[in-house]
Amino acid sequence: MAELKDVKGIGPKALSLLNKINIYTINDLVTHYPFRYNVLQRCDLTKANDGDKITIDGKVESMPILMRFKAGLNKMNFRLVTQSGIVGVSIFNRAFMKSQLMVGTGVTVVGKFDKTKNVITANDIKLGILTNQAKIEPVYHCTNGLTNKNMSTYINMALLMYGKEIIDYIPEVYREKYNFVNKKTALNIIHNPSTKEKLKEVTIRLKYEELFAFMFKINYLKKENKKKNSGLVRTIDKNKLDKFIKKIPFKLTTDQLKAVDEIISDLESPNRMNRLLQGDVGSGKTVVAFIGMVANYLSGYQSALMAPTEILAIQHYNNLVEFLKDTDIKVALLTGSTSKKDKNEIYKELKDGTIDMIIGTHALIQDEVEYNNLGLVITDEQHRFGVHQRANLQNKGIRPDVLFMSATPIPRTYALTIFGDMDVSTIKERPKGRQKIDTFVKKNNEIKDVLQMMYNELKLGHQVYVIAPLIEENENSDLTNVNELKDQMKLAFGSKYKIDIVHGKMASGAKDIIMNQFKNNEVQILISTTVVEVGVDVPNATMIVIFDADRFGLSTLHQLRGRVGRGSSKSKCILISDSDTERLKIMEKEDDGFIISEEDFKLRGQGDLFGTKQSGDMTFNIASIKNDYKILLQAKKDSNEYLLNKETDKDDLKKVLINEIAEG
């Protein structure tokens, strides 16, 4: 297909601006859909109220008068003859239009009506008058230097020049079944709709197409994974494994035992394991993963567990060493700060098979790392790794089994799409003794009460997390930031307790030092952004205070709340906000992460439940998992039917879809 620069009107500057908003290809351009539409329909001035936003058309009745106040600020006034009378029009910073607004020129004005003065303060003036039918005008996400008009022009030019080259991802059989127009026609209509009815029709068609292509790829990956029978051949000594499980100093929950059985079954299967282990905060996923690593060891293979942060990798390493203390299993830790000498020794022992299990960060996937017989790959908090990072670790072995762990409970609807090519094990039960965390929603004027609650915990020798959504001040926002909070906390507690800051923009080494100081109770109050959402266990931390809590999704708040309640003492979570308190009150009564994630999903939609988007993970231009679930289910059914139909194996579209999967 032609390139973006080949589209008439797109020069180097426009190309750079389009790239800035992630438009790199002609397909990116034509699927940059409007995020809303302005419906321009003639208004009757006699029926308009003071302050109404109105659209009116007519002919210029007087020559525009231009007033310049200072550099960059000007105002233009003129009179407009409309079907319902004469009205004055004022508009700022449109001096360049003066020569176009000759007496008798037909224009359409959009703006706010001042009934007393009989004047419209316009925010837009368009040349030409309206027809009796409403005009539907698309509105696009743009960037500085790129106007809505530019975007519309580029899109329509691309469709005119290269519309026939655009791939239609709906097979003809389904286009006929649902009476869908072809892709080029649909794109022309969505960017230039003539009626609301036509717009609705093609919107459904384009959503279906996007979901059809996505679900085809998911179904194909699942089919290939099952078909290849490419799992490792292994024999696990069940007696040894059972003895090991019995030595664990606590009883596993029913959900944990079920997840262990599913993982063992996968390891013994001739198919390669591709499983997600999801569970709420504190449900005991890590123990299940460790048992899987022991089973893998008993069948003669190495295991690797990759964590998103160094401090979490160290925590897993220490826990695994303790877990295996009565065995001869050799465990190693590999992170970015491992010394060069130690790294070289680890590389050697991984290659010759001396090391049985390794825990680490992305250092595990560096080119220098070679494994002797890697049989099991585990990624913790898997959504924090890019697709390619996860693939790199999987490719380190010949065909290792793969287990993903996530402490972010995912609604069934969301899991269907993100993890549609995986089997899912879910741990809902909590280990005995795990206490509920008392949660309170407070307003900013109740800060004295919150400080007193903090002081009560600190007096008992406990520690406190304080969370802010921003790192530094922003003139466009009054959200509390970490630096401001540090000043406030120092004023309240600085003479008695050590206070420090940690946030995502800090170098990982500096961050780890402070987190370790907090873990060792050398810091009593830790002020942070959501960087602590996934992190070390600090059993002595019994309170978390979250400022501007309304700015967080419920799932993120639940993850943050899970930082406390890890010891034997009763713990508290305080959510501070003056707005959206009804939504936040869900947190006061509910502590089940799965129920909370469902609520979050209903309230926020598809959004970004994890709080971070990964390149290549689940991106839709027009479809919404929440709003288009019925379309998704139909697209899933149809795409699977199309995939399994042998008669379609020679279809060019099927080949295109499979090639796209191969190209990543």
Side-chain angles (χ1 to χ4, degrees):
M1 193 172 184
E3 294 182 33
L4 202 54
K5 63 182 175 61
D6 299 326
V7 176
K8 189 178 176 183
I10 298 182
K13 187 182 175 186
L15 192 65
S16 172
L17 290 169
L18 290 167
N19 289 170
K20 202 172 173 183
I21 52 174
N22 297 318
I23 295 175
Y24 296 98
T25 67
I26 288 172
N27 193 63
D28 291 340
L29 180 63
V30 298
T31 57
H32 185 74
Y33 299 115
F35 71 92
R36 66 179 171 85
Y37 294 84
N38 288 333
V39 180
L40 303 178
Q41 194 158 18
R42 186 179 290 134
C43 164
D44 183 345
L45 276 179
T46 61
K47 294 178 182 175
N49 297 312
D50 187 51
D52 280 357
K53 186 178 178 183
I54 64 170
T55 301
I56 194 88
D57 65 340
K59 291 188 177 179
V60 177
E61 199 259 348
S62 66
M63 284 295 291
I65 297 168
L66 183 65
M67 293 173 281
R68 296 185 189 275
F69 301 106
K70 58 181 180 180
L73 182 62
N74 60 71
K75 182 182 179 185
M76 192 160 56
N77 296 329
F78 63 92
R79 289 193 306 278
L80 185 71
V81 180
T82 76
Q83 288 185 356
S84 47
I86 296 176
V87 66
V89 177
S90 294
I91 190 162
F92 289 90
N93 293 341
R94 292 290 200 286
F96 61 88
M97 286 192 77
K98 185 180 179 185
S99 61
Q100 298 171 292
L101 300 174
M102 305 301 289
V103 173
T105 304
V107 294
T108 299
V109 174
V110 181
K112 191 176 180 182
F113 183 46
D114 183 328
K115 192 158 188 161
T116 310
K117 295 179 181 176
N118 192 36
V119 170
I120 299 168
T121 302
N123 54 46
D124 198 11
I125 295 177
K126 303 169 192 299
L127 296 176
I129 60 172
L130 296 168
T131 62
N132 288 327
Q133 192 176 23
K135 183 182 178 185
I136 304 170
E137 184 182 69
V139 183
Y140 299 94
H141 284 299
C142 297
T143 186
N144 285 340
L146 195 63
T147 66
N148 200 64
K149 190 176 178 182
N150 293 150
M151 187 65 78
S152 184
T153 302
Y154 298 151
I155 288 169
N156 284 306
M157 185 54 71
L159 287 170
L160 182 68
M161 294 174 71
Y162 304 110
K164 289 179 181 175
E165 295 181 34
I166 294 162
I167 298 169
D168 192 328
Y169 288 97
I170 305 179
E172 196 174 339
V173 61
Y174 298 111
R175 285 209 302 273
E176 289 176 1
K177 181 179 178 181
Y178 302 119
N179 200 23
F180 286 147
V181 296
N182 64 44
K183 178 77 166 279
K184 186 186 175 186
T185 303
L187 290 171
N188 271 311
I189 292 171
I190 202 161
H191 292 297
N192 307 281
S194 56
T195 66
K196 290 180 183 177
E197 291 72 28
K198 287 271 187 194
L199 178 59
K200 186 179 178 182
E201 278 177 29
V202 299
T203 300
I204 291 169
R205 181 245 180 262
L206 290 167
K207 285 179 174 183
Y208 173 87
E209 178 186 31
E210 203 166 54
L211 294 167
F212 179 92
F214 184 82
M215 291 314 304
F216 177 92
K217 292 172 185 180
I218 290 291
N219 289 329
Y220 177 81
L221 287 169
K222 196 160 191 174
K223 175 173 165 265
E224 289 301 295
N225 193 47
K226 295 231 185 284
K227 185 178 79 176
K228 283 177 183 173
N229 288 340
S230 58
L232 296 166
V233 178
R234 34 169 116 240
T235 306
I236 299 170
D237 190 324
K238 294 281 185 60
N239 289 329
K240 284 185 179 178
L241 186 63
D242 288 342
K243 282 179 186 174
F244 181 84
I245 292 171
K246 281 174 185 170
K247 283 184 181 177
I248 296 171
F250 51 84
K251 192 178 177 185
L252 297 181
T253 65
T254 305
D255 281 355
Q256 283 176 310
L257 289 168
K258 183 170 182 266
V260 167
D261 285 345
E262 287 168 345
I263 289 165
I264 301 306
S265 176
D266 281 356
L267 290 174
E268 290 184 318
S269 160
N271 299 320
R272 189 176 182 186
M273 174 165 72
N274 191 32
R275 181 171 291 277
L276 169 70
L277 175 62
Q278 67 164 349
D280 206 347
V281 175
S283 60
K285 295 176 303 301
T286 312
V287 171
V288 171
F290 286 172
I291 293 169
M293 292 168 81
V294 171
N296 182 59
Y297 163 79
L298 290 173
S299 62
Y301 292 101
Q302 294 171 303
S303 300
L305 190 159
M306 184 163 71
T309 65
E310 187 159 313
I311 202 145
L312 194 54
I314 293 167
Q315 178 176 292
H316 282 325
Y317 171 75
N318 291 334
N319 289 341
L320 184 60
V321 167
E322 175 65 22
F323 195 68
L324 301 172
K325 63 184 177 186
D326 296 325
T327 71
D328 296 325
I329 300 171
K330 178 153 186 186
V331 185
L333 174 69
L334 181 63
T335 69
S337 59
T338 305
S339 70
K340 192 173 181 183
K341 182 187 172 189
D342 288 345
K343 275 182 183 172
N344 288 334
E345 183 64 21
I346 288 169
Y347 295 158
K348 176 181 165 293
E349 292 188 347
L350 276 175
K351 194 172 180 179
D352 67 24
T354 306
I355 291 172
D356 302 306
M357 299 178 185
I358 189 155
I359 310 275
T361 55
H362 61 277
L364 295 178
I365 58 175
Q366 301 302 312
D367 290 342
E368 303 91 333
V369 182
E370 290 181 53
Y371 296 85
N372 180 275
N373 59 348
L374 184 61
L376 177 63
V377 165
I378 301 172
T379 57
D380 189 16
E381 292 307 326
Q382 63 81 35
H383 62 273
R384 292 177 179 259
F385 295 103
V387 175
H388 298 302
Q389 285 178 308
R390 300 199 294 258
N392 283 347
L393 185 53
Q394 293 169 41
N395 294 334
K396 284 288 181 183
I398 301 169
R399 47 185 185 278
D401 288 295
V402 184
L403 180 67
F404 301 99
M405 290 201 292
S406 177
T408 307
I410 302 155
R412 188 175 64 88
T413 49
Y414 211 69
L416 172 70
T417 54
I418 297 183
F419 304 119
D421 61 331
M422 295 185 193
D423 297 305
V424 181
S425 292
T426 300
I427 304 176
K428 285 194 172 184
E429 272 181 283
R430 293 194 187 174
K432 283 182 182 173
R434 177 73 67 166
Q435 296 186 60
K436 184 180 178 182
I437 299 160
D438 291 334
T439 303
F440 307 92
V441 177
K442 299 279 187 183
K443 292 188 181 294
N444 279 293
N445 61 12
E446 297 176 278
I447 191 67
K448 282 187 179 177
D449 294 346
V450 176
L451 293 173
Q452 184 60 53
M453 292 167 83
M454 289 175 67
Y455 185 51
N456 293 342
E457 291 301 315
L458 292 164
K459 275 195 303 185
L460 293 170
H462 297 156
Q463 293 161 270
V464 179
Y465 289 104
V466 177
I467 307 296
L470 289 184
I471 296 166
E472 56 206 12
E473 289 198 44
N474 178 333
E475 62 184 44
N476 298 318
S477 173
D478 59 357
L479 298 181
T480 313
N481 67 80
V482 287
N483 295 311
E484 184 187 325
L485 274 175
K486 188 175 183 183
D487 292 341
Q488 288 177 14
M489 293 300 151
K490 276 195 168 178
L491 205 61
F493 304 113
S495 59
K496 291 187 176 181
Y497 302 103
K498 178 84 187 290
I499 301 161
D500 218 326
I501 284 178
V502 65
H503 58 74
K505 286 190 177 178
M506 293 171 69
S508 60
K511 206 187 315 178
D512 289 343
I513 288 168
I514 294 167
M515 290 297 287
N516 273 321
Q517 287 175 343
F518 187 64
K519 188 176 182 182
N520 297 329
N521 203 4
E522 294 161 26
V523 168
Q524 284 75 49
I525 300 173
L526 184 68
I527 301 168
S528 170
T529 53
T530 55
V531 74
V532 300
E533 183 185 341
V534 176
V536 293
D537 285 341
V538 183
N540 194 47
T542 57
M543 187 171 179
I544 184 163
V545 181
I546 304 169
F547 282 81
D548 299 313
D550 56 291
R551 298 302 299 243
F552 298 99
L554 296 180
S555 292
T556 300
L557 291 174
H558 183 63
Q559 291 297 306
L560 287 165
R561 178 167 64 181
R563 290 297 97 216
V564 297
R566 293 177 170 258
S568 55
S569 301
K570 190 73 178 160
S571 293
K572 298 180 182 69
C573 171
I574 314 296
L575 306 175
I576 301 178
S577 174
D578 289 337
S579 59
D580 205 13
T581 49
E582 282 309 305
R583 179 179 71 98
L584 296 177
K585 284 189 179 293
I586 294 169
M587 299 291 294
E588 284 186 334
K589 61 178 186 281
E590 193 53 70
D591 69 338
D592 183 321
F594 287 88
I595 293 172
I596 287 169
S597 74
E598 288 287 357
E599 288 296 325
D600 209 7
F601 189 70
K602 286 178 201 167
L603 291 163
R604 295 204 300 158
Q606 168 188 323
D608 182 21
L609 295 181
F610 298 137
T612 175
K613 282 194 192 296
Q614 293 291 356
S615 175
D617 280 351
M618 182 58 186
T619 51
F620 294 121
N621 291 324
I622 195 168
S624 156
I625 299 303
K626 177 193 173 193
N627 299 328
D628 305 317
Y629 189 51
K630 284 184 180 175
I631 302 174
L632 171 75
L633 291 178
Q634 192 59 51
K636 184 186 182 208
K637 178 176 174 289
D638 292 345
S639 62
N640 202 39
E641 180 182 83
Y642 179 67
L643 172 67
L644 299 176
N645 186 346
K646 295 289 182 189
E647 291 177 18
T648 63
D649 286 351
K650 291 180 182 177
D651 282 10
D652 288 339
L653 175 59
K654 202 174 212 181
K655 290 172 188 172
V656 166
L657 285 163
I658 292 168
N659 283 340
E660 285 183 6
I661 297 167
E663 289 166 10

